[in-house]
Every structure is written in C-alpha cells, then in structure tokens.
C-alpha cells in the first residue's frame, strides 16, 4: 500500500522502494525488525510529531511519603555513598555522601518532563481563603467596582510575591531511568493529593497507525535497510553472478550512509524542535 497503516505494510513499502520483488533484498527479517525499531525510536526522540504533550496526574500515597521522609542521615529513603582516600598523616579517610533514594516510577513512554505544576497549598494564592480569594470576595462584588488596570497590577504583584516566597520545586528526570526525583520535603506532603506533571509522551504506532505513514519514517527506514543490504553484501565484493552481473555491496552501503546523513540534516533543520536561546 502507498499509505502503510501497519508495521508489515511499512516494511513492504520500503522493500518495494528498494526494488522488491524485482530484486532480491538480501536482508534478514530479524534485521528488518531491528531497523524498524531503530527508525521508530529515532522518530519518537527527535521528531516533533513523534511525541505528544501530556498532563499526567499522580496521586501521592502514604508509601511515597514514608520512603521520602529523611529524619537525619539514617532516615528512611536515604542512601549513603562512601568514598575513601589515603591522606598523608591521617591514613585512610572515609567520606560519606547522603542522598534521597525516593522517586516516582513514570511510564516508559514518557521521554521528557518539563515541570510539575505548583502543589504547595501554603502559597499566598492557594487555598480557599487566600489573598486571591479575598480580592474577589471584597473588591469584585460587582463588575465596575475595580478598574481592570488596577486589578492586573495587583495580580502581577501577588504573582511576584508568590514567586519569591514559594519557588518551583526542583525535579530530576532521565528517560533512560524512567524515574522522577522530587527534591521536596516529603514530610510536609499529604496522602491522596495529586501531582500534575507536564511531560512529553512518545506516540505508540500501534495506537496511532499514521506514524507508519509518516514521510520521515518511510524515508529513514528505507535508507536504513539499504545500508544494511550493502553491509551484508560487502564481503561478496567482486563476486560475479550468472550473466556477468557483479555485486557491489560497497556502493549500496555508501549510498545508504549518504541518504541517512541527508535525512538527519533535514531532521535538524525541519523536523526537530529548536533549542531555546540562552540569554545572559
């Protein structure tokens, strides 16, 4: 099919682009399966259409709080890393480092986390009887009681105070670990409250079949198969087939390598999210 909707249809499409069934593509099925996985992984990690922005909600449990509490260097959830050094005049000296081992295991499909929305109810703008609530209660009892400019300035001022007094919580995340570390005081958290995580999740092609028909995926997988085809035939360089045809695996390999490089350059300039500029 010109518009593949399944994994096998994508494979058949790429093989036809390389000459099948007129030509025999000397690549094993197992190798093609590996190349499909490589192409989809590259698409998910680098292409802006390979991910979707999600707001995942997680309910804090009492077990999370118990693991995260740290009552000193011997508290629950504390891991000790020890280093040793032979210092002249002192002998072998031990250095102990302590860190919290508590984390939240995120789904494997999450490849990046932007932030966690504020969940500190002690801020001046949080809670039922916050300053924001009192402002609405006392000053906005009818629409014309407050000028919009004054209201906007007051809101901006409250946001500045809130930013200085209740800073954003620090988080650490690595997509190869699937662990979200929260550098917070777990003892101040309450069970059954929710965290809202702003993250990016990789598209599963089994759920969204249009991934198989993406122009980048088709071109990238075709080039991968061509490169693998050439790599398989390199060792037969110079072998003549019946009719005088000579195998040229090196040429196939170099063509596939060049096409992959061109596709990656297009990825950097057209399909990849540009990095944010640093100021200062």
């Amino acid at each position: 099919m010109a518009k593949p909707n399944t994994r096998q249809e994508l494979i058949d499409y790429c093989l036809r682009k390389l000459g099948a069934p007129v030509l025999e593509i000397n690549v094993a099925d197992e190798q093609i399966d590996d190349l499909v996985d490589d192409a989809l992984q590259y698409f998910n990690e680098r292409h802006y259409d390979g991910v979707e922005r999600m707001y995942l909600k997680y309910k804090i449990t009492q077990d999370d709080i118990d693991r995260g509490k740290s009552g000193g260097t011997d508290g629950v959830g504390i891991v000790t890393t020890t280093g040793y050094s032979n210092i002249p005049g002192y002998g072998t000296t031990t250095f102990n480092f302590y860190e919290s081992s508590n984390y939240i295991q995120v789904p494997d499909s999450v490849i990046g986390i932007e932030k966690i929305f504020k969940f500190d109810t002690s801020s001046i703008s949080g809670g039922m009887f916050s300053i924001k609530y009192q402002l609405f209660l006392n000053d906005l009892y009818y629409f014309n009681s407050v000028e919009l400019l004054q209201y906007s300035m007051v809101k901006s001022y409250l946001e500045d105070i809130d930013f200085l007094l209740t800073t954003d919580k620090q988080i650490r995340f690595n997509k190869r670990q699937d662990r979200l570390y929260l550098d917070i005081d777990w003892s101040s958290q309450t069970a059954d409250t929710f965290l809202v995580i702003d993250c990016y999740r990789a598209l599963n092609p089994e759920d969204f079949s249009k991934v198989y028909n993406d122009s980048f995926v088709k071109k990238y997988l075709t080039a991968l198969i061509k490169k693998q085809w050439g790599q398989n035939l390199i060792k037969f360089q110079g072998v003549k087939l019946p009719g005088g045809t000579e195998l040229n695996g090196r040429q196939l390999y170099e063509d596939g390598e060049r096409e992959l490089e061109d596709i990656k350059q297009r990825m950097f300039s057209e399909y990849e999210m540009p990095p944010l500029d640093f100021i200062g």
Side-chain angles (χ1 to χ4, degrees):
M1 293 181 60
K3 295 182 179 180
N5 291 317
T6 65
R7 184 184 182 95
Q8 188 58 48
E9 289 178 359
L10 173 63
I11 294 174
D12 295 339
Y13 171 87
C14 295
L15 293 179
R16 288 196 302 271
K17 294 290 288 186
L18 293 174
V22 178
L23 301 178
E24 180 181 355
I25 311 301
N26 304 108
V27 182
D29 293 338
E30 295 81 2
Q31 291 177 317
I32 293 179
D33 286 335
D34 292 339
L35 296 177
V36 173
D37 293 335
D38 292 342
L40 293 177
Q41 180 182 2
Y42 193 80
F43 175 73
N44 289 140
E45 293 183 354
R46 306 301 294 271
H47 201 292
Y48 61 80
D49 281 336
V51 294
E52 58 177 341
R53 190 170 186 174
M54 296 294 297
Y55 297 100
L56 298 179
K57 295 172 283 295
Y58 177 79
K59 181 190 291 186
I60 298 177
T61 64
Q62 188 60 45
D63 291 337
D64 294 328
I65 298 175
D66 293 339
R67 289 196 309 270
K69 287 181 179 179
S70 55
T73 57
D74 296 326
V76 177
I78 294 297
V79 172
T80 304
T81 303
T82 304
Y84 302 93
S85 179
N86 189 6
I87 300 179
Y90 294 92
T92 302
T93 304
T94 302
F95 302 89
N96 294 324
F97 299 89
Y98 306 97
E99 61 178 327
S100 174
S101 63
N102 190 31
Y103 59 85
I104 297 174
Q105 190 75 28
V106 299
D108 180 66
S109 58
V110 175
I111 65 174
I113 295 180
E114 287 286 330
K115 64 180 179 180
I116 292 183
F117 289 97
K118 288 185 177 182
F119 53 89
D120 190 355
T121 57
S122 63
S123 64
I124 64 172
S125 60
M128 171 62 77
F129 301 102
S130 63
I131 294 180
K132 184 188 298 184
Y133 174 78
Q134 296 298 325
L135 179 64
F136 274 92
L137 181 66
N138 297 323
D139 297 332
L140 296 182
Y141 48 87
Y142 62 92
F143 288 110
N144 295 328
S145 61
V146 177
E147 293 290 339
L148 291 180
L149 177 60
Q150 178 185 357
Y151 173 72
S152 178
M153 294 175 62
V154 172
K155 289 282 292 182
S156 299
Y157 181 68
L158 292 179
E159 290 294 333
D160 291 340
I161 297 177
D162 199 16
F163 175 78
L164 294 175
L165 298 182
T166 58
T167 57
D168 291 335
K169 302 299 185 291
Q170 298 298 314
I171 63 173
R172 290 172 287 129
F173 174 76
N174 188 300
K175 62 183 177 182
R176 304 306 180 197
Q177 290 180 312
D178 296 330
R179 297 177 178 180
L180 174 60
Y181 290 90
L182 301 175
D183 298 321
I184 62 176
D185 181 11
W186 283 97
S187 60
S188 64
Q189 305 306 313
T190 305
D192 297 331
T193 57
F194 282 89
L195 303 178
V196 180
I197 304 172
D198 182 4
C199 63
Y200 289 91
R201 184 171 63 183
L203 291 181
N204 185 356
E206 298 302 323
D207 298 329
F208 305 96
S209 60
K210 287 187 177 181
V211 172
Y212 293 122
N213 191 40
D214 185 85
S215 59
F216 172 83
V217 173
K218 292 189 290 187
K219 292 179 181 178
Y220 189 71
L221 180 58
T222 301
L224 285 177
I225 297 177
K226 178 184 285 189
K227 179 182 176 182
Q228 185 65 56
W229 185 14
Q231 188 171 2
N232 291 346
L233 295 179
I234 281 179
K235 60 181 179 181
F236 300 112
Q237 186 72 28
V239 177
K240 291 186 178 298
L241 300 177
T245 304
E246 183 176 332
L247 295 176
N248 194 347
R250 175 67 63 181
Q251 185 65 44
L252 280 174
Y253 179 85
E254 292 178 354
D255 288 346
E257 186 72 22
R258 184 173 59 254
E259 290 177 11
L260 285 174
E261 186 63 29
D262 293 340
I263 293 173
K264 289 181 179 180
Q265 290 298 325
R266 289 195 61 190
M267 165 67 76
F268 300 150
S269 61
E270 298 180 17
Y271 300 120
E272 191 176 30
M273 293 292 289
L276 298 178
D277 296 330
F278 290 94
I279 301 176

